[in-house]
Amino acid sequence: MVRFIRQRVLLAIPTILIVTFLVFVLMELSPSDPALALAGDNPTPEKLAESRAALGLDRPMLVRYVEYLGNAVRGDFGTSPITHQSVLSDLMFRLPITAALVLLSLIFTVVLGLTLGTLAAVYKGGVVDWLANSVAALLMSVPPFVAGVLLILFLAVSSQMFPATGYATLSDGLVPWLTYMTLPALSLALIPAALLTRQVRSAMVDALEEDYVRTARAKGLRRVTVVGKHAAKNAAVPVVTVLGLVVTQMVGGAVVVEKLFAIPGLGSVSVDAVLTGDLVTLQGLVLFIALVVTAVNLLVDASYGYFNPRLRVR
């Protein structure tokens, strides 16, 4: 298992290098000039040249890329020319907020997806199956920002069950935190829950038709034992694959949802960075998200080895 994980870690390194290089090139081609942001309004040519030298923009791109990579390895993502704060410290301050939102969304996704998908597979062809598929189709047609607006209208404005916008930290208490985070997390979870429902149903239907499941039924085992113990583990590999994709999509979707609900996470940072032309923060943010996505993929690969031991020897 350790060898399997080590191989995946080594394979992830070139992916990260390619992503960082592509991001660096894209930022280089961007029409925004960080030197202008640092020099202020109506800068003189001398002031602009001074700003470019201060940011290192007067040197070749490859030299700056190698230097940026070396600094990033040491945990230095640069300093924002807009806020004059360390990019890493700003990201680390907001990361727990986004991570908590994604985690709560993932809990909603897993509960909804596993429940609906398993019920649809167990009662295949029946009313429950039809209802689960209909709910999944309905949820897939609602983008996160539309779902967020609808949830605000019905559960915040009309019924006043939840606040429309705002944020409370966990130090304020679990209940206030959940009160503010439930609607954003639900907005982010609806489409992933629909995808997971369909994947769980498909994988579980295949597993329930295997010979070992028929044998388990013939032995007189209870349905809960057959489904939960024998079929679930063999249906887990495709489901875990979808969960990995879901987490990466949630990190991206959090950008819109956090802005809609005024949550001060990584999404708010990215939107502010785009609006102000803060390329240094954007660069650090994209690299940071690339590392998170790579880590999620590593966890998914590691889970393959757990659920299917034959993959460990490849």
Side-chain angles (χ1 to χ4, degrees):
M1 190 68 181
V2 174
R3 181 184 173 190
F4 178 81
I5 294 175
R6 186 169 59 238
Q7 287 177 340
R8 293 300 186 273
V9 171
L10 292 175
L11 288 173
I13 293 175
T15 304
I16 294 174
L17 289 175
I18 292 172
V19 169
T20 57
F21 183 73
L22 289 177
V23 170
F24 208 86
V25 171
L26 287 175
M27 295 300 172
E28 190 74 13
L29 298 175
S30 168
S32 298
D33 189 352
L36 277 175
L38 182 63
D41 297 332
N42 302 318
T44 63
E46 293 77 14
K47 179 67 177 177
L48 190 58
E50 184 182 329
S51 298
R52 295 186 66 81
L55 293 173
L57 299 177
D58 55 345
R59 292 176 294 162
M61 189 196 76
L62 281 178
V63 174
R64 286 186 283 120
Y65 169 69
V66 173
E67 185 179 272
Y68 177 79
L69 215 53
N71 291 335
V73 170
R74 293 192 295 273
D76 181 7
F77 285 14
T79 301
S80 166
I82 305 297
T83 63
H84 305 289
Q85 292 182 348
S86 165
V87 172
L88 183 62
S89 63
D90 195 20
L91 296 183
M92 292 305 291
F93 174 75
R94 296 172 185 263
L95 174 65
I97 300 172
T98 300
L101 174 62
V102 171
L103 181 61
L104 187 60
S105 302
L106 193 60
I107 291 173
F108 288 153
T109 299
V110 171
V111 171
L112 283 172
L114 285 184
T115 303
L116 292 176
T118 302
L119 286 174
V122 171
Y123 298 101
K124 178 186 171 186
V127 176
V128 175
D129 187 16
W130 178 81
L131 279 175
N133 279 306
S134 299
V135 171
L138 176 65
L139 296 182
M140 287 183 71
S141 64
V142 185
F145 68 94
V146 176
V149 172
L150 292 175
L151 289 172
I152 288 174
L153 286 175
F154 289 108
L155 298 181
V157 177
S158 297
S159 63
Q160 298 186 346
M161 293 173 62
F162 298 94
T165 59
Y167 176 71
T169 63
L170 271 172
S171 60
D172 297 327
L174 182 60
V175 173
W177 180 79
L178 280 174
T179 302
Y180 280 99
M181 295 294 272
T182 297
L183 294 188
L186 274 176
S187 306
L188 212 52
L190 294 183
I191 289 181
L195 292 172
L196 190 63
T197 297
R198 294 198 163 187
Q199 188 61 56
V200 168
R201 181 191 180 281
S202 174
M204 195 66 84
V205 165
D206 291 341
L208 289 173
E209 292 175 352
E210 293 289 338
D211 291 338
Y212 66 89
V213 173
R214 293 195 188 96
T215 303
R217 285 172 174 161
K219 288 180 179 177
L221 295 179
R222 293 185 305 164
R223 175 180 281 179
V224 173
T225 304
V226 173
V227 174
K229 184 178 179 180
H230 296 279
K233 187 172 182 179
N234 288 281
V237 171
V239 172
V240 168
T241 303
V242 172
L243 279 178
L245 295 173
V246 159
V247 173
T248 56
Q249 288 177 354
M250 283 180 175
V251 173
V255 173
V256 177
V257 171
E258 286 181 359
K259 200 64 183 174
L260 179 64
F261 287 92
I263 297 175
L266 292 177
S268 300
V269 174
S270 61
V271 172
D272 293 341
V274 169
L275 293 177
T276 58
D278 188 352
L279 296 185
V280 178
T281 298
L282 270 180
Q283 211 168 34
L285 186 65
V286 173
L287 176 57
F288 201 78
I289 291 176
L291 291 173
V292 171
V293 171
T294 303
V296 170
N297 288 331
L298 281 174
L299 288 175
V300 171
D301 284 349
S303 70
Y304 290 166
Y306 170 75
F307 289 116
N308 189 351
R310 289 175 298 178
L311 294 175
R312 302 177 195 170
V313 299
R314 292 182 180 176

